[in-house]
């Protein structure tokens, strides 16, 4: 299968795309729309694949069967070696570094990534206690899965359909699928599922295909373009990388901005200063590295974030990120990509594939054992969770949702997110001591009060959030005392939440509303620190972050209502040492464990007793 004429400007465009993605992933505030680099890649892919297939189709010795066989073999040789080397290395590192439950989550993603189906896995991925998305080393594999899935469609469409039909079919599918994506994004609100879906990304491929049809069927003299068209194309891409989030849910119609810019640059060879820029040696070299850069930059970021516990890295880890990404990408490009694509003897090629297959198989068999070998003796279960999830009303209703003295006639209602759920043992201890029972109804990321702005939280949490709110409403009406707890640093930056909590207090009808202070957050997950120390990796001191700012907002809010009161329960090293004996009271960097919840009850004893006995 012959290749298209080499165009250095396409390599330069690849470089701009991968750099935009890397900057966005490193710090979204620096380039808020940098994720559009993925869409530029998809347009380029659609352009090149369509161009190659069209050129092959018009050759005198064209044979459909041979063409398909060569196409899939060449695509596999281009993509698979570097990809599976990355999967092997990332799997072994995850086995060494990740806590067992985090590694189990990783393995699910790995199994999907190995079969190029991770876009469907991450489209409904959601687990409050799994590592955050920015700590998932294979999250970026979704876009490669989408590309592979496109390869299953493209050859048959291009090779089996007459060229005169393709432009209409591509254009129709582009418009139709964009409309479907818009419907799901704007009307159904399925943003996460749509973002990772194949159907929502196919318009980018078809746009590239239309550009290829234009280049293939139009004389080169006719395609000569004024310099300003190249300038416009590059400007649209840069503009999208800066302002894309302002345009709303993505992709859908919002993706047409970077797509249009990419099509302009691909359909007409860039001239003038844009052509010189895209064809400069450094961008062409980065463009050649772009696949390996994309493969490696995200796992490096994810592991560094998992270790530091910070999404935005400090200067030292930022330099480490750049150095590791560049070294791994260069090694991947020259040592793997070029080696497998080179014209080596059949014997050497066979040996290379055999070693790769052995590595993949060996890793799949050994990684669970590696994880177990690098895992220190597990802490008892009460140190690893804040309550038994099967027995509390968190995201679901289990029994009567009551804790404390179940024989008492005095009942309080407790509402909130996981920071309220972690108080089940807290209220159980205090209720039994002071003669009251607590009905606790909570949901992940969701403060279970009427009017909560659930749209901003992860889609997987919506259903449980709304369900728990509806159930809580039944008890709010008759409750006389309501405790509300939450991770205020997560909620109070949002105007929708501020309005919801204010309205809830204002409409309380003289109930006693107690807004509880947020517990201090840790710099790092203590169980991760224990693991890092066990395997000989230096771990930073786990200091506490007392959230004065967001607690102050809740206090000021409570002070503005006669029926509301801010309940400030300090939980700092001094109090812990005095009351807890055992300082291992956090299950992660923000949640108390069962021991910590009980300890928190000891510290809060006098405060809660005074509130309950009024």
């Amino acid at each position: 299968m012959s290749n298209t004429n080499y165009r250095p400007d396409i390599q330069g465009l690849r470089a701009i795309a991968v750099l935009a993605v890397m900057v966005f992933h490193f710090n979204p505030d620096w380039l808020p729309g940098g994720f559009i680099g993925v869409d530029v890649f998809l347009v380029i892919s659609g352009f090149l694949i369509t161009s190659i297939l069209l050129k092959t189709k018009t050759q005198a010795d064209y044979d459909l069967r041979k063409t398909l066989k060569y196409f899939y073999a060449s695509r596999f040789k281009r993509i698979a070696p570097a990809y599976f080397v990355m999967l092997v290395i990332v799997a072994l590192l995850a086995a060494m570094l990740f806590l067992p439950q985090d590694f189990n989550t990783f393995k699910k993603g790995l199994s999907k990534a190995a079969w190029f189906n991770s876009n469907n896995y991450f489209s409904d991925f959601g687990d409050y206690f799994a590592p955050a998305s920015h700590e998932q080393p294979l999250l970026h594999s979704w876009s490669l899965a989408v590309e592979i899935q496109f390869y299953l469609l493209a050859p048959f469409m291009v090779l089996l359909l007459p060229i005169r039909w393709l432009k209409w079919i591509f254009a129709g599918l582009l418009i139709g699928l964009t409309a479907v994506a818009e419907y799901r994004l704007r009307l159904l609100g399925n943003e996460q599922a749509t973002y990772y879906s194949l159907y929502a990304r196919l318009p980018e491929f078809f746009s590239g295909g239309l550009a290829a049809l234009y280049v293939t069927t139009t004389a080169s003299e006719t395609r000569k373009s004024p310099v300003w068209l190249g300038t416009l194309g590059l400007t649209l891409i840069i503009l999208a990388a800066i302002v894309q989030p302002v345009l709303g849910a993505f992709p859908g119609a919002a993706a047409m901005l970077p797509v249009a810019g990419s099509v302009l640059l691909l359909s007409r060879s860039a001239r003038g200063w844009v052509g010189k820029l895209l064809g400069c040696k450094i961008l062409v070299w980065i463009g050649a590295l772009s696949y390996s850069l994309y493969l490696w930059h995200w796992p490096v970021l994810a592991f560094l974030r998992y270790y530091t516990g910070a999404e935005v890295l400090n200067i030292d880890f930022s330099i480490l990120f750049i150095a590791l990404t560049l070294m791994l990408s260069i090694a991947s490009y020259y040592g793997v990509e070029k080696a497998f694509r080179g014209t080596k003897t059949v014997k050497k090629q066979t040996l290379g594939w055999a070693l790769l297959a052995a590595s993949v198989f060996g890793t799949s068999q050994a990684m669970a054992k590696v994880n177990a070998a690098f895992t220190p003796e597990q802490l008892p279960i009460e140190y690893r969770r804040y309550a038994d999830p099967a027995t509390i009303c968190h995201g679901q209703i289990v029994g009567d949702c009551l804790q404390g003295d179940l024989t008492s006639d005095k009942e309080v209602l407790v509402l909130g997110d996981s920071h309220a759920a972690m108080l089940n043992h807290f209220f159980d201890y205090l209720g039994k001591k002071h003669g009251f029972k607590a009905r606790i109804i909570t949901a992940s990321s969701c403060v279970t009060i009427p009017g909560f702005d659930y749209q901003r939280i992860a889609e997987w949490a919506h259903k449980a959030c709304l369900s728990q709110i509806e159930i809580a409403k039944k008890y709010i009406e008759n409750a006389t005392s309501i405790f509300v707890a939450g991770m205020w640093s997560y909620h109070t930056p949002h105007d929708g939440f501020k309005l919801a909590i204010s309205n809830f207090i204002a409409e309380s009808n003289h109930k006693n509303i107690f807004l509880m202070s947020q517990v201090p957050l840790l710099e790092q997950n203590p169980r991760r620190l224990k693991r890092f120390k066990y395997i000989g990796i230096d771990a930073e001191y786990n200091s506490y972050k007392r959230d004065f700012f967001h607690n102050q907002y809740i206090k000021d809010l409570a002070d503005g209502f006669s029926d509301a009161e801010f309940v400030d329960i300090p939980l700092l090293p001094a109090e812990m040492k005095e009351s807890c004996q055992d300082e291992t009271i956090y299950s992660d960097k923000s949640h108390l464990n069962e021991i910590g919840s009980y300890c928190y009850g000891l510290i809060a004893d006098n405060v809660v007793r005074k509130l309950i006995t009024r």
Side-chain angles (χ1 to χ4, degrees):
M1 183 184 295
S2 60
N3 206 341
T4 53
N5 295 327
Y6 176 71
R7 284 178 51 179
D9 61 308
I10 293 181
Q11 289 289 56
L13 186 57
R14 277 192 174 121
I16 289 175
V18 76
L19 290 174
V21 171
M22 291 173 65
V23 171
F24 171 76
H25 284 164
F26 176 72
N27 189 337
D29 292 337
W30 289 7
L31 197 63
F35 55 84
I36 60 93
V38 169
D39 302 277
V40 175
F41 273 125
L42 300 185
V43 175
I44 293 173
S45 182
F47 175 82
L48 292 176
I49 294 305
T50 305
S51 298
I52 292 170
L53 291 171
L54 286 173
K55 190 169 184 179
T56 303
K57 186 177 180 179
T58 58
Q59 291 177 351
D61 60 347
Y62 165 69
D63 179 270
L64 176 61
R65 182 180 172 184
K66 290 181 179 178
T67 299
L68 287 174
K69 180 179 178 181
Y70 188 87
F71 173 81
Y72 287 116
S74 63
R75 289 295 88 197
F76 191 76
K77 185 185 291 187
R78 167 75 175 88
I79 291 170
Y83 180 66
F84 281 100
V85 167
M86 182 273 293
L87 291 184
V88 166
I89 294 174
V90 167
L92 292 175
L93 284 173
M96 289 187 287
L97 294 175
F98 280 12
L99 294 170
Q101 67 271 29
D102 296 342
F103 184 64
N104 288 336
T105 300
F106 167 80
K107 285 195 298 182
K108 294 175 184 177
L110 176 64
S111 66
K112 301 298 182 182
W115 292 103
F116 299 102
N117 193 35
S118 56
N119 62 315
N120 292 316
Y121 172 71
F122 287 114
S123 68
D124 61 358
F125 176 80
D127 183 345
Y128 190 83
F129 290 101
S133 293
H134 60 263
E135 296 175 340
Q136 297 285 344
L138 298 179
L139 179 66
H140 68 319
S141 66
W142 75 267
S143 59
L144 190 58
V146 164
E147 185 161 359
I148 294 296
Q149 291 160 22
F150 169 69
Y151 290 162
L152 299 178
L153 299 172
F156 295 97
M157 295 183 69
V158 176
L159 296 176
L160 295 178
L161 295 173
I163 293 178
R164 65 181 182 277
W165 291 6
L166 281 177
K167 64 176 66 176
W168 298 106
I169 292 173
F170 279 4
L173 288 171
L174 189 160
I175 295 169
L177 291 173
T178 299
V180 171
E182 279 292 293
Y183 170 74
R184 291 182 63 81
L185 288 169
R186 315 290 173 179
L187 297 181
L188 300 183
N190 296 334
E191 295 187 19
Q192 180 175 326
T194 304
Y195 186 88
Y196 292 108
S197 66
L198 173 63
Y199 69 81
R201 300 293 175 163
L202 281 175
E204 282 94 318
F205 291 110
F206 292 137
S207 297
L210 285 170
L213 283 165
Y214 172 78
V215 170
T216 302
T217 59
T218 306
S220 59
E221 294 78 11
T222 309
R223 286 189 276 109
K224 288 182 179 179
S225 60
V227 174
W228 67 266
L229 277 178
T231 303
L232 176 61
L234 187 59
T235 300
L236 289 177
I237 292 173
I238 294 173
L239 183 65
I242 297 172
V243 307
Q244 195 69 56
V246 179
L247 302 181
F250 194 87
M256 291 301 106
L257 188 62
V259 166
S262 303
V263 168
L264 281 175
L265 290 171
L266 290 170
S267 59
R268 301 171 182 269
S269 294
R271 301 170 61 198
W273 72 271
V274 174
K276 292 179 180 178
L277 173 65
L278 294 180
C280 72
K281 290 183 178 180
I282 183 64
L283 282 186
V284 170
W285 181 69
I286 294 173
L289 282 178
S290 61
Y291 179 52
S292 284
L293 283 168
Y294 187 80
L295 286 181
W296 282 107
H297 83 281
W298 182 259
V300 171
L301 264 180
F303 283 126
L304 290 176
R305 286 165 169 166
Y306 189 86
Y307 171 69
T308 62
E311 184 172 0
V312 178
L313 303 177
N314 63 26
I315 185 64
D316 293 336
F317 283 102
S318 297
I319 294 172
L320 183 60
F321 159 68
I322 294 171
L324 286 175
T325 299
L326 191 58
M327 287 190 299
L328 288 167
S329 299
I330 290 173
S332 174
Y333 176 66
Y334 290 103
V336 182
E337 283 193 67
K338 295 196 76 173
F340 276 86
R341 285 186 297 178
T343 56
K344 293 181 179 294
T345 63
V346 174
K347 185 180 292 186
K348 288 184 177 179
Q349 286 280 3
T350 303
L351 178 61
W353 285 108
L355 288 174
L356 179 59
S359 298
V360 172
F361 178 77
T363 300
S364 68
Q365 299 302 306
M367 59 184 182
K369 295 178 180 178
V370 171
N371 185 254
F374 281 83
T375 299
E377 184 179 353
Q378 287 276 61
L379 291 169
I381 188 64
E382 60 267 25
Y383 288 90
R384 291 183 273 132
R385 67 184 187 188
Y386 55 65
D388 182 353
T391 63
I392 63 174
C393 294
H394 185 60
Q396 61 182 342
I397 295 300
V398 179
D400 53 18
C401 308
L402 290 173
Q403 301 287 355
D405 183 356
L406 303 186
T407 64
S408 174
D409 293 329
K410 189 174 186 62
E411 181 179 315
V412 302
L413 181 62
V414 182
L415 304 175
D417 58 17
S418 59
H419 277 232
M422 73 182 181
L423 300 180
N424 270 268
H425 285 272
F426 171 94
F427 279 104
D428 189 54
Y429 163 72
L430 291 174
K432 288 173 179 175
K433 183 172 182 179
H434 297 297
F436 71 93
K437 57 189 174 186
R439 191 180 303 273
I440 307 174
I441 302 173
T442 60
S444 292
S445 305
C446 169
V447 179
T448 49
I449 58 174
F452 176 75
D453 55 327
Y454 72 93
Q455 298 89 342
R456 66 178 166 83
I457 67 176
E459 286 181 32
W460 58 264
H462 286 186
K463 184 177 179 180
C465 175
L466 293 174
S467 175
Q468 294 295 84
I469 289 172
E470 287 302 310
I471 292 166
K473 286 179 182 178
K474 301 175 184 177
Y475 297 102
I476 290 172
E477 184 177 348
N478 297 320
T480 56
S481 296
I482 302 175
F483 288 81
V484 183
M487 189 175 181
W488 306 129
S489 55
Y490 173 69
H491 298 295
T492 56
H494 300 279
D495 292 336
F497 174 74
K498 293 177 181 177
L499 179 63
I501 190 72
S502 296
N503 288 343
F504 174 68
I505 299 172
E507 298 167 3
S508 63
N509 295 323
H510 304 293
K511 301 179 189 297
N512 295 314
I513 306 295
F514 302 117
L515 304 179
M516 301 187 68
S517 58
Q518 175 180 308
V519 299
L521 307 181
L522 302 181
E523 294 286 351
Q524 177 58 294
N525 185 320
R527 291 166 56 216
R528 292 185 189 179
L529 287 179
K530 182 180 179 182
R531 183 182 187 87
F532 298 151
K533 291 176 181 177
Y534 180 79
I535 62 178
I537 300 177
D538 289 336
E540 295 181 3
Y541 175 72
N542 208 355
S543 58
Y544 289 80
K545 297 185 292 184
R546 179 73 164 159
D547 199 328
F548 292 108
F549 178 78
H550 297 100
N551 275 335
Q552 186 62 46
Y553 176 84
I554 296 297
K555 182 180 185 304
D556 292 343
L557 176 68
D559 289 345
F561 293 91
S562 59
D563 299 325
E565 183 174 344
F566 179 67
V567 184
D568 189 11
I569 305 172
L571 184 65
L572 294 171
E575 288 79 10
M576 288 164 49
K577 206 169 201 180
E578 182 178 342
S579 302
C580 300
Q581 304 300 319
D582 188 344
E583 293 188 11
T584 310
I585 64 171
Y586 278 75
S587 61
D588 56 31
K589 63 192 295 185
S590 64
H591 296 91
L592 302 174
N593 56 30
E594 291 183 20
I595 302 299
S597 184
Y598 169 75
C599 171
Y600 198 37
L602 294 176
I603 295 171
D605 193 319
N606 288 331
V607 175
V608 174
R609 177 179 55 79
K610 292 176 182 177
L611 297 176
I612 295 297
T613 56
R614 283 180 180 177

